[in-house]
Each structure stands twice: as structure tokens, then as C-alpha cells.
């Protein structure tokens, strides 16, 4: 079954808003610098391939690759590398991510696990001092939270497996943007301002991102020649140049002896990373998660991400439920999210260390058992207990109650498609906005603080699957998702937002598949996120009244997620969609416009 594109008041409103700012491909800049975040258009429809990212430069670079005959994988790597320049606080070669790829020739979906990895010296109590967890803020800005970056290896793996360009050519556009510069917009200034205290603490970070101690001005040109040189190095020597040799030594030195100014009040703990950790890093291919939802095949990212398992379990719960009207659909969306998060927290971690019952978590029997807990008339008290994915699903069962860990709010998602029908959904991150705040001196990129995605202490009564460990990958929430209908692409999407990634992807799917919205409306609609907490977090525009009557309580969250996606329409055209407003709005483009 392939849901048709509905029309209606909300659809018309979003379409009108998109038209007002000029739907289609942003005009290519004839002269340097690149246009920066300005000139973004969030919706584009057409043929020949598409790119959707949060940033006009990244979308343009990806589109240029498609126009010159590159495929969706080439465009995804090129766009991701450009995001490392123009959105350096959300992603970059100091971080990691998850790459989901639909291969049109074989009809198969593949994934790459480019998750950052803990050093071999990391123990389960690495974030505990004198018997108590260290303050989360201290861990955020530290060497201790730095995992081995996975992004460079992910790019190399993707290009080797499925690309048509080599790394040198895939990095060319991004290197050009880094060298020539781009125009700073308000979002870049806001994100720099949010990091002012941290960047000021490190000479390498303030030298790169600050101008006389302040963020660069809106409209000024931002160049990152150090990153251009680093990209040149990777282009010449391959990504091994980051995992071994001088650059690897500089990364290790930065982690073990963070270049914090003596005058800084920040307590910056050194990290455990060693050269051997970098040299041994792998970005393995993993089988995707797969659930069937109303006849559609929904592919996602398997552990160590919890994205595929949690979105998949929640969809199964929804399919096992009677959704009814809009209020009941949203009530079930919130309840299914809470139930699936309880199970995620209890069971999902790095599969090299934890026996994740993935098959049972994604089974219809388990979903039916969880769905039978939902009362259409009253919200469940939160937090709910995890279920028992044990293959025995005769009755509704529960076990002990757990609590939710903490997740960051950074990250970025891009979606690409090419003329041959290949599709990429790629989410990447350096964890916090600004990662650990530390630029590798002279190299032009920030390091991640991904190891803060581990739980610092046991949250699950002695069975926490997400405690630190040597060589372990912290559990992620990244949920790059590709959906097939009758074996052909129907929808690809993803979002940033820490653990809200999961509910953002799920809510967009509910909006699109159950509530009659088209994709631009589904992405734009106000969001709510229930991650098994007492109160639901909701954006101000989310209509709460009918759900409050069912017992849901709400707290405000000003902005949840910043998604991108591509829908493959019945007439063969592509509908590329980015956020119209959140995070300053995203950028969608197609190779050839029209329907
Ligand atoms: N760092 C965000 C995530 O992996 O979910």
C-alpha cells in the first residue's frame, strides 16, 4: 500500500509559505563566497535526483555532484563534508554517524555503523569519581568524552562500497567552501554564542570560531583554511591519514592534554584515547532493522543505534492498535513512544557487548503485548516499565521500572536520491552543539563528546546495557530511515535532536501515514515527544487540550528536531523536504524542477 498525497488546509498553507520564499533550487552563486544559510528553500519537486539538508551550501554541493553524474552516495558524502564546514557545531570529521543506503540495482538496503568508539582504556566507571558521577556539564567539555571519530571511515566505506567518486573528488566542493568561505547567518551566530564560554577556554577553538572574543557578525565571510588543508590531506592520502600518523598523534595529544587556557575557570578532564584506538577503528556494515507497517517496509539503523529498534517497535505497537480519530492517534503515538523507550533503555546497547533481543523487540507478538497496555481513555502513569521480549506473549506482562538517560541536542540529517533510484538517509553528529568544544589545533574541526551518550551509572537495576566499556560504542538515537513500498523507495527521512530523533521520525511518519498530511506538512507540524517521562515535551504550537483530557501532562520545548526527507511520488517525481523554520530552516533541491 502506498499512501496517496492528501491535500487540505494545512498542506495548502505550507505550500503557500514555500512558494512565498521561492520553491526550487537556490540559484548557484557565480562568485565567492558561498551564499551561506541564506537563500534556503525548504521544498522542491522534480526529477533527476534530490538533496535535502539543513544548509544551502551543503545542498548545493550535493546537487552539483548529482548534476555531474555522481550518485546518491557521492552526493551524501559531498554534502556531509560541506556540513562539516558550514554547520561545524553539529557534525564533522571529529564525530560519527549512521549511513542507510537503498541500492536500486539490487533492491537491498545496507547500513554503515560509523559510531564513535570508547578507548580500550575506558572502564564502566569512567564517569564516576569518588563514588559519584561527574557533573554532566564537566563531561561534555572534556577529553574523557571523546570517542574515536567514525565519520571519515564512514565516508571512505560508503564511497568504496557504492560510490562512483573517489574521496578526493567527493571532498572537492566542501574544500572549496572551506577555502573560499561562506556567509555567516543568524543560526551560525546563535550556535557560536551558545558555545562562547567553552570556545573562549581553548585557544584553538577561539582562534577558529571567535573574532576578538565574540562570534563573527551576520553577513561576514567565514573561512576555515585549516579544515580545507585537512580535507586536502584526506583527499591525497585517504582517511587513514586521520587514523594513523601525524594527525592521529595530534588528536590523541588534544584529548589527553586538552589545550585549555590557564585563565579558564573550566575543569577540563583529560581523556583516555590512544593511537591504537584510532588505528583499530572500523565502520562495519550492519543489517538494517526491518518492520512492516501497513504494507510498507520500514528500514532503520540497528544497534548500537536505538533508532531502528525504537521507531520499529513503536510502529508495530501502533499497527496493533485501533487508532481512531486524530486525538486517539496522537494518544497512541505518545503511549507507543513511552513503551518503546522503556524497552530501548532496558535492552539496547552495543551488540558487541550486550545481547540485544532485536528480533523479539521488533516482533508482532511483543508489539501486541505492549499495545494491550494502552488505555484509549487514560494515559498510562509514567515512567512505564519495560516489557519482556521473551517470545512468550500470551498476556500483558511488565517487569521493573527504569528511568531515562540524558541525550544531547546537536546532530544533523541529510537525505539524497539520484536518477538511478539510489537513496541515502544519513544522520551524523559530534554529539553536543559544538561537540566537546575543543578544536584540534591547526586542523579546523571540533572533537566529539559522544561518550556522554553512555549512562554514567546503572539506570536499570544492574542490567544497564549502556554503561561505558573498553572499545564499546555508546547507544545512539539516530534514526535514518528508508521506507519501501512494493520494493521501491517511498520515503527516506531522519532528524537531529538527541533522543527526540526517534519521536521526531515517528511523529512525521504518523503525520504522513495516519493523519493525512503530505510530507512538507508532516515535517512542519508542531511536535511532541514522550520518551517515558512524566511529562510530554511539546512545541508551543502543539495542540494539547484533548490529550490533557486523557491525562497527558506537558512541558514546553521550544524546538524539537530539524528533519529532512525525500518522498518518491506516484508520478515518478521526487519531493525533497527540509524544515521550513526550525534551526533557521533547511534547504531542499532537485536536479530538474517540475512535476
Ligand atoms: N548523539 C546523539 C545520538 O547519537 O543519539
Amino acid at each position: 500500500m502506498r499512501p496517496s498525497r492528501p491535500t487540505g488546509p494545512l498542506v495548502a498553507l505550507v505550500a503557500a509559505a514555500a512558494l512565498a520564499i521561492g520553491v526550487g533550487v537556490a540559484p548557484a552563486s557565480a562568485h565567492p563566497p558561498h551564499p551561506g544559510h541564506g537563500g534556503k528553500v525548504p521544498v522542491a519537486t522534480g526529477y533527476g535526483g534530490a538533496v535535502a539538508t539543513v544548509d544551502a551550501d551543503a545542498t548545493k554541493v550535493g546537487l552539483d555532484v548529482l548534476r555531474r553524474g555522481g550518485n546518491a552516495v557521492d552526493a551524501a558524502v559531498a554534502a556531509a563534508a560541506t556540513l562539516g564546514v558550514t554547520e561545524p557545531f553539529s557534525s564533522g570529521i571529529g564525530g560519527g554517524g549512521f549511513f542507510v543506503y537503498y541500492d536500486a540495482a539490487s533492491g537491498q538496503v545496507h547500513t554503515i555503523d560509523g559510531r564513535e568508539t570508547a578507548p580500550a582504556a575506558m572502564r564502566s566507571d569512567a564517569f564516576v569519581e569518588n563514588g559519584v558521577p561527574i557533573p554532566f556539564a564537566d563531561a561534555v567539555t572534556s577529553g574523557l568524552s571523546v570517542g574515536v571519530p567514525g565519520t571519515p571511515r564512514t565516508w571512505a566505506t560508503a564511497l568504496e562500497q557504492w560510490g562512483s567518486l573517489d574521496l578526493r573528488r567527493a571532498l572537492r566542493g566542501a574544500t572549496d567552501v572551506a577555502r573560499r568561505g561562506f556567509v555567516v547567518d543568524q543560526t551560525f551566530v546563535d550556535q557560536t554564542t551558545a558555545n562562547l564560554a567553552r570556545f573562549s577556554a581553548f585557544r584553538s577553538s577561539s582562534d577558529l570560531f571567535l573574532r576578538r572574543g565574540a562570534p563573527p557578525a551576520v553577513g561576514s565571510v567565514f573561512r576555515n583554511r585549516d579544515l580545507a588543508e585537512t580535507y586536502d590531506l584526506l583527499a591525497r592520502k585517504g582517511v587513514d591519514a586521520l587514523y594513523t600518523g601525524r594527525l592521529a598523534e595530534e588528536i590523541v595529544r588534544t584529548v589527553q592534554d586538552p589545550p585549555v587556557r590557564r585563565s579558564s575557570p573550566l575543569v577540563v578532564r583529560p581523556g583516555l584515547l590512544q593511537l591504537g584506538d584510532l588505528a583499530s577503528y572500523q565502520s562495519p556494515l550492519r543489517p538494517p532493522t526491518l518492520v512492516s507497517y501497513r504494507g510498507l517496509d520500514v528500514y532503520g539503523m540497528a544497534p548500537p543505534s536505538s533508532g531502528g529498534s525504537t521507531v520499529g517497535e513503536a510502529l508495530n505497537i501502533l499497527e496493533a492498535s485501533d487508532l481512531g480519530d486524530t486525538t486517539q492517534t496522537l494518544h497512541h503515538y505518545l503511549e507507543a513512544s513511552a513503551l518503546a523507550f522503556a524497552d530501548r533503555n532496558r535492552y539496547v546497547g552495543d551488540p558487541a557487548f550486550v545481547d540485544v533481543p532485536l528480533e523479539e523487540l521488533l516482533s508482532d507478538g511483543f508489539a501486541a503485548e505492549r499495545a494491550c497496555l494502552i488505555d484509549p481513555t487514560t494515559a498510562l502513569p509514567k515512567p512505564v516499565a519495560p516489557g519482556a521480549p521473551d517470545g512468550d506473549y500470551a498476556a500483558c506482562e511488565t517487569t521493573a521500572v527504569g528511568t531515562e538517560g540524558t541525550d544531547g541536542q546537536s546532530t544533523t540529517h541529510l537525505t539524497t536520491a539520484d536518477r538511478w533510484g539510489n537513496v541515502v538517509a544519513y544522520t551524523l553528529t559530534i554529539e553536543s552543539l559544538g561537540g566537546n568544544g575543543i578544536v584540534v589545533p591547526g586542523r579546523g574541526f571540533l572533537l566529539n563528546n559522544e561518550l556522554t551518550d553512555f549512562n554514567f551509572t546503572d539506570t536499570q537495576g544492574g542490567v544497564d546495557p549502556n554503561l561505558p566499556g573498553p572499545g564499546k560504542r555508546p547507544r545512539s538515537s539516530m534514526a535514518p530511515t528508508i521506507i519501501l513500498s512494493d520494493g521501491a523507495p517511498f520515503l527516506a527521512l531522519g532528524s537531529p535532536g538527541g533522543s527526540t530523533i526517534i519521536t521526531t521520525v515517528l511523529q512525521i511518519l504518523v503525520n504522513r501515514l495516519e493523519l493525512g498530511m503530505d510530507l512538507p506538512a508532516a515535517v512542519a507540524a508542531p511536535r511532541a515527544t514522550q520518551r517515558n517521562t512524566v511529562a510530554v515535551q511539546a512545541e508551543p504550537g502543539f495542540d494539547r487540550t484533548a490529550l490533557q483530557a486523557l491525562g497527558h501532562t506537558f512541558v514546553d520545548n521550544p524546538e524539537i528536531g530539524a528533519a529532512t526527507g525525500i518522498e518518491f511520488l506516484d508520478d515518478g517525481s521526487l519531493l525533497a523536504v527540509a524544515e521550513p523554520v526550525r534551526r533557521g530552516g533547511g534547504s531542499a533541491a532537485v536536479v530538474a524542477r517540475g512535476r
Side-chain angles (χ1 to χ4, degrees):
M1 183 217 64
R2 195 184 176 95
S4 60
R5 294 187 71 218
T7 53
L10 184 52
V11 174
L13 195 133
V14 171
L19 279 170
I21 57 172
V23 171
V25 182
S29 67
H31 305 289
H34 282 246
H37 301 244
K40 293 178 179 181
V41 288
V43 180
T45 310
Y47 299 90
V51 181
T53 80
V54 296
D55 174 71
D57 287 317
T59 295
K60 180 184 177 308
V61 167
L63 201 69
D64 286 347
V65 165
L66 293 177
R67 286 205 166 118
R68 293 202 191 101
N71 67 24
V73 172
D74 305 324
V77 172
T82 308
L83 289 172
V85 181
T86 57
E87 292 267 331
F89 313 130
S90 298
S91 67
I93 54 175
F98 295 99
F99 193 102
V100 179
Y101 169 62
Y102 168 76
D103 182 71
S106 64
Q108 302 290 307
V109 176
H110 306 275
T111 81
I112 302 172
D113 168 4
R115 186 64 162 169
E116 299 91 330
T117 300
M122 181 158 256
R123 299 181 345 185
S124 63
D125 61 354
F127 290 106
V128 176
E129 282 176 7
N130 304 319
V132 289
I134 64 175
F136 190 75
D138 285 7
V140 162
T141 307
S142 74
L144 193 58
S145 59
V146 180
V148 181
T151 290
R153 184 72 74 208
T154 302
W155 294 351
T157 304
L159 293 172
E160 280 159 19
Q161 291 284 328
W162 313 297
S164 71
L165 300 183
D166 58 19
L167 187 66
R168 185 177 58 81
R169 286 190 292 166
L171 291 180
R172 195 173 281 161
T175 309
D176 188 44
V177 177
R179 195 160 270 130
R180 286 200 285 154
F182 61 92
V183 178
V184 168
D185 73 349
Q186 190 61 49
T187 305
F188 191 91
V189 171
D190 291 346
Q191 295 186 348
T192 310
T193 304
N195 277 292
L196 203 52
R198 299 202 302 151
F199 291 168
S200 301
F202 304 98
R203 182 176 298 282
S204 55
S205 306
S206 49
D207 282 354
L208 179 58
F209 292 122
L210 305 183
R211 305 286 175 265
R212 292 197 188 89
V218 171
S220 64
V221 175
F222 187 94
R223 297 186 179 85
N224 189 341
R225 295 192 182 91
D226 288 345
L227 185 57
E229 296 287 317
T230 303
Y231 279 174
D232 280 344
L233 174 72
L234 302 184
R236 278 196 319 276
K237 303 211 159 156
V239 299
D240 282 349
L242 185 137
Y243 292 101
T244 58
R246 218 169 110 190
L247 178 50
E249 285 165 14
E250 291 171 27
I251 291 171
V252 166
R253 193 178 317 135
T254 307
V255 170
Q256 292 186 357
D257 187 13
V260 60
R261 291 181 202 269
R262 281 216 195 103
S263 57
S264 169
L266 293 184
V267 177
V268 183
R269 287 168 176 78
L272 303 166
L273 200 68
Q274 301 198 0
L275 282 174
D277 298 313
L278 284 157
S280 60
Y281 182 81
Q282 302 290 329
S283 55
L285 302 186
R286 295 192 186 277
T289 59
L290 171 62
V291 298
S292 168
Y293 185 74
R294 304 206 191 285
L296 301 168
D297 291 320
V298 182
Y299 291 89
M301 195 64 226
S305 184
S306 60
S309 65
T310 313
V311 170
E313 180 188 336
L315 285 174
N316 283 341
I317 292 171
L318 292 174
E319 195 174 46
S321 305
D322 183 7
L323 298 186
D325 62 12
T326 298
T327 298
Q328 275 301 310
T329 300
L330 291 172
H331 171 58
H332 279 80
Y333 154 66
L334 296 175
E335 298 296 72
S337 299
L339 291 162
F341 259 89
D343 300 325
R344 161 202 187 263
N345 294 347
R346 166 64 186 82
Y347 296 110
V348 182
D350 182 342
F353 290 75
V354 179
D355 192 9
V356 183
L358 189 58
E359 202 175 316
E360 293 301 331
L361 284 172
L362 292 175
S363 70
D364 288 338
F366 184 56
E369 184 172 274
R370 300 300 270 158
C372 78
L373 296 174
I374 300 175
D375 181 342
T377 66
T378 314
L380 292 163
K382 311 289 185 317
V384 297
D390 54 8
D392 177 8
Y393 304 123
C396 294
E397 293 177 8
T398 58
T399 55
V401 174
T403 57
E404 203 212 334
T406 313
D407 271 319
Q409 297 293 323
S410 174
T411 311
T412 193
H413 178 83
L414 62 95
T415 315
T416 64
D418 63 32
R419 71 181 84 162
W420 300 282
N422 303 302
V423 186
V424 172
Y426 182 24
T427 314
L428 60 163
T429 188
I430 52 174
E431 170 47 15
S432 296
L433 187 68
N436 78 342
I438 308 174
V439 168
V440 180
R443 296 299 192 167
F445 65 93
L446 286 156
L447 290 170
N448 72 82
N449 58 346
E450 209 68 55
L451 304 186
T452 60
D453 269 358
F454 283 124
N455 293 332
F456 289 9
T457 53
D458 177 25
T459 67
Q460 300 293 320
V463 288
D464 194 319
N466 192 36
L467 289 170
K472 190 173 178 181
R473 296 178 182 217
R475 179 175 61 213
S476 172
S477 300
M478 289 189 265
T481 302
I482 294 179
I483 301 179
L484 305 186
S485 172
D486 295 327
F490 163 61
L491 190 57
L493 77 162
S495 178
S499 59
T500 68
I501 291 171
I502 289 167
T503 55
T504 293
V505 168
L506 185 62
Q507 189 175 359
I508 291 170
L509 293 179
V510 168
N511 288 344
R512 175 67 190 89
L513 302 174
E514 303 294 346
L515 295 180
M517 297 182 202
D518 69 0
L519 186 60
V523 168
R527 297 199 179 112
T529 176
Q530 170 48 279
R531 290 162 290 152
N532 202 20
T533 50
V534 172
V536 178
Q537 290 182 10
E539 292 178 329
F542 184 81
D543 189 355
R544 309 164 188 203
T545 316
L547 292 162
Q548 281 167 329
L550 294 175
H552 295 280
T553 57
F554 289 88
V555 291
D556 285 336
N557 183 331
E559 191 172 286
I560 300 171
T564 70
I566 298 174
E567 182 167 335
F568 302 79
L569 302 179
D570 288 336
D571 64 4
S573 61
L574 304 168
L575 173 61
V577 179
E579 293 284 349
V581 176
R582 295 178 183 95
R583 278 208 201 177
S587 170
V590 290
V591 169
R593 291 172 66 172
R595 279 205 68 182

